[in-house]
Amino acid sequence: MVVSISVLLLLLIIMLIFLRSGSLKTSHAILCAVVGFLIAGTDIAPSVYDGISATAQLVGGFRP
């Protein structure tokens, strides 16, 4: 749960940066949100969650 919230916040911050810089239009941001909600309701959602969790664990395992 913590990983998905962190990823959500990261993507939201990136989206806001793109919106403010003019690279991402509001319609594109809405489309991204709708696609995210649609993916969350499908059978692929657990695979996406597992992939994000595995990536977070991999990145979290690196020591500088």
Side-chain angles (χ1 to χ4, degrees):
M1 183 70 173
V2 173
V3 172
S4 62
I5 292 173
S6 299
V7 171
L8 175 66
L9 288 176
L10 175 66
L11 293 176
L12 185 64
I13 291 169
I14 291 171
M15 185 181 73
L16 289 173
I17 290 170
F18 282 144
L19 275 171
R20 292 187 61 88
S21 70
S23 301
L24 181 69
K25 300 191 184 309
T26 305
S27 60
H28 297 146
I30 292 170
L31 180 64
C32 289
V34 169
V35 168
F37 281 112
L38 290 174
I39 287 176
T42 64
D43 291 334
I44 197 171
S47 299
V48 172
Y49 179 78
D50 291 342
I52 291 172
S53 295
T55 304
Q57 287 178 353
L58 179 70
V59 171
F62 290 137
R63 300 287 177 220

